[in-house]
Amino acid sequence: MEFAAAASEKHEIVIIGGGICGLATALALHRKGLKSIVLERSETLRAYGGGIGLLPNAWRALDQLGVGSRLRSMAVLLQGGRDILIDENKERKIEHVTGESRCLQRSDLITTLADELPIGTIRLGSEVVSIDLDSITKTPRLLLTCGSYIDAEIVIGCEGGRSKVAELLGLKASRAFDVGVIRGLTTYPNAHSMPHELHQIRKGEIGVGMLPITKHLIHWFVALPTHLLSGDKFPHDPKHIKQMALELIKDFPSNIYETIELSDLDSMSATHLRYRAPWDLLLGTMRKGTVTVAGDAMHVMGPFIGQGGASGLEDAVVLGRCLSMAMSGIEGNNKKEKIAKIEAGLDQYVKERRMRVLGLSTITYLIGIIVGSPSPLVKIVAGFILVILFRDRASHVHFDCGKL
Ligand SMILES: Cc1cc2nc3c(=O)[nH]c(=O)nc-3n(C[C@H](O)[C@H](O)[C@H](O)COP(=O)(O)OP(=O)(O)OC[C@H]3O[C@@H](n4cnc5c(N)ncnc54)[C@H](O)[C@@H]3O)c2cc1C
């Protein structure tokens, strides 16, 4: 498409999506002296989903972004975890929670990242309707719902699992697991008595997780195969979501029931889990011209090993590093040369991230099948492949995305 001469704004770097990854990417670029704007469609910064468990690799990335110490003060350190299998009357230590693990309130993470950005970086209520590349110059042009255009030198799609930018790159649409999750927060004005541990409790096909955030706040989730939902649908209203969660866990121990019963209605959410297929990640195009993707837009994955948000933070650090290196080598006003250098920087980013997120996505894909499939045979085969391919399932938390 060749663009008509319409009035439009021009920006060097535009990030679409003001979630964890979009804000972290803007911060990474800001720390490297690169100015960007973040277009977020919501009227407020969204912090949907209650809490988020962050493992050592996420903390390494947050330290590189310069927000690790501030965030550490907002959540207790988790000292391992426990798996409790009610039907088998068994309890075992969770091996993969090693090193620094904390569960943050999502709103704390989002607000902290946003607070570090220069005023004017985040544009709320700015929804991107479409994105096109000029057929001659390959310059990306964004159309917003308000009818205005933005011409950008670089576009980074961080708009989550249903990304328009991923579509432009030719990536296949993300798919739904047969697994749904209800999440929420429970506040204890007089402190709770839960140890500083992740607890995962399973009964039949339903799993419950509990993570303390502070001594007054617990994040919990209920995971279930979607065939247990009538009509395959979650209700939208928080009251009904809570009722559904309570109904699902009515045979669980009373302390779990009480935690969910006491939960804050405005923290309640229910969602079907999505993923980008590992083979699409392996073979898909992640850059077109000076446009790329990061976070869930690139690699939406199941939350089973707590790595979706963490890998979005890693993306931000690597992207910040690669772009700043590429752009520091730009001299003079030769536009062609500038674009070639930016493209090389984005290729380096994609190269560094592809195999990392492929590994994480493959693990979560297999676990998603084990949790969601009603067929015992399919579960066994997926479990077998998981054991063969990923003997050390904790190794992903030791990953270091490197210096910003
Ligand atoms: C149940 C569950 C539990 C999870 N638990 C963990 C965990 O414990 N640890 C962990 O690391 N990860 C976890 N994750 C994954 C983590 O939540 C995600 O990976 C992370 O939130 C993705 O961030 P993002 O910024 O890439 O995308 P999103 O959070 O989806 O943000 C995208 C943003 O883009 C905006 N947007 C979308 N379209 C447009 C548009 N056209 N124009 C402008 N703005 C747009 C949206 O409004 C949104 O604000 C979990 C996920 C789920 C579903």
Side-chain angles (χ1 to χ4, degrees), residues 360-389:
L360 297 173
S361 297
T362 308
I363 298 178
T364 50
Y365 172 70
L366 291 167
I367 299 177
I369 288 180
I370 295 168
V371 178
S373 173
S375 155
L377 181 65
V378 171
K379 283 179 196 281
I380 290 170
V381 173
F384 181 72
I385 300 173
L386 190 62
V387 172
I388 297 293
L389 289 184

Side-chain angles (χ1 to χ4, degrees), residues 76-286:
V76 295
L77 183 65
L78 298 177
Q79 316 275 3
R82 279 185 238 183
D83 262 337
I84 299 160
L85 305 171
I86 296 178
D87 293 335
E88 294 164 43
N89 202 13
K90 265 194 200 152
E91 185 169 323
R92 61 178 181 229
K93 241 180 136 242
I94 298 176
E95 300 297 344
H96 60 260
V97 187
T98 53
E100 182 173 11
S101 310
R102 298 171 197 265
C103 180
L104 279 173
Q105 208 173 328
R106 280 178 187 255
S107 53
D108 285 340
L109 177 56
I110 290 276
T111 315
T112 302
L113 292 169
D115 281 355
E116 297 286 318
L117 292 170
I119 292 169
T121 303
I122 306 168
R123 295 197 181 178
L124 297 170
S126 300
E127 178 168 6
V128 175
V129 188
S130 66
I131 160 164
D132 291 298
L133 298 181
D134 183 278
S135 55
I136 297 165
T137 63
K138 300 285 177 243
T139 314
R141 171 173 268 204
L142 312 176
L143 171 63
L144 307 188
T145 29
C146 60
S148 65
Y149 288 97
I150 294 183
D151 289 323
E153 285 186 16
I154 301 168
V155 171
I156 305 165
C158 298
E159 350 88 285
R162 296 173 192 267
S163 161
K164 287 199 163 63
V165 178
E167 221 174 273
L168 174 90
L169 299 180
L171 290 172
K172 293 219 176 84
S174 62
R175 308 160 195 222
F177 277 118
D178 295 322
V179 183
V181 179
I182 300 178
R183 291 174 283 176
L185 296 170
T186 304
T187 309
Y188 292 83
N190 298 319
H192 58 76
S193 56
M194 188 178 170
H196 294 175
E197 291 178 341
L198 158 65
H199 286 181
Q200 292 185 151
I201 308 104
R202 174 158 286 279
K203 179 160 182 24
E205 293 186 281
I206 297 170
V208 172
M210 299 232 167
L211 297 100
I213 296 177
T214 64
K215 62 181 180 182
H216 296 288
L217 193 61
I218 290 180
H219 167 62
W220 58 263
F221 60 85
V222 178
L224 63 149
T226 42
H227 70 82
L228 294 184
L229 292 173
S230 58
D232 258 18
K233 281 204 167 36
F234 279 118
H236 290 295
D237 170 37
K239 250 197 212 156
H240 291 126
I241 297 176
K242 185 172 179 174
Q243 262 170 19
M244 177 183 263
L246 289 171
E247 179 59 26
L248 286 164
I249 54 108
K250 64 179 186 305
D251 299 326
F252 278 63
S254 59
N255 61 326
I256 292 168
Y257 191 91
E258 276 155 27
T259 301
I260 297 182
E261 200 175 28
L262 284 174
S263 53
D264 315 330
L265 266 190
D266 58 1
S267 71
M268 207 72 57
S269 66
T271 185
H272 284 255
L273 301 180
R274 301 192 71 77
Y275 67 97
R276 188 172 300 293
W279 48 95
D280 291 338
L281 272 174
L282 178 66
L283 303 171
T285 304
M286 302 292 180

Side-chain angles (χ1 to χ4, degrees), residues 282-349:
L282 178 66
L283 303 171
T285 304
M286 302 292 180
R287 174 191 70 77
K288 200 171 190 178
T290 54
V291 177
T292 192
V293 273
D296 276 15
M298 184 197 262
H299 48 66
V300 58
M301 64 180 82
F304 316 108
I305 54 171
Q307 284 296 328
S311 47
L313 293 169
E314 291 175 2
D315 293 345
V317 172
V318 177
L319 189 45
R321 178 171 69 230
C322 292
L323 259 186
S324 81
M325 269 165 73
M327 292 177 84
S328 66
I330 294 168
E331 285 160 15
N333 284 330
N334 186 329
K335 194 147 190 225
K336 251 190 172 170
E337 204 178 295
K338 181 176 183 185
I339 289 174
K341 288 217 158 118
I342 293 170
E343 289 178 352
L346 295 180
D347 281 343
Q348 179 60 29
Y349 153 72

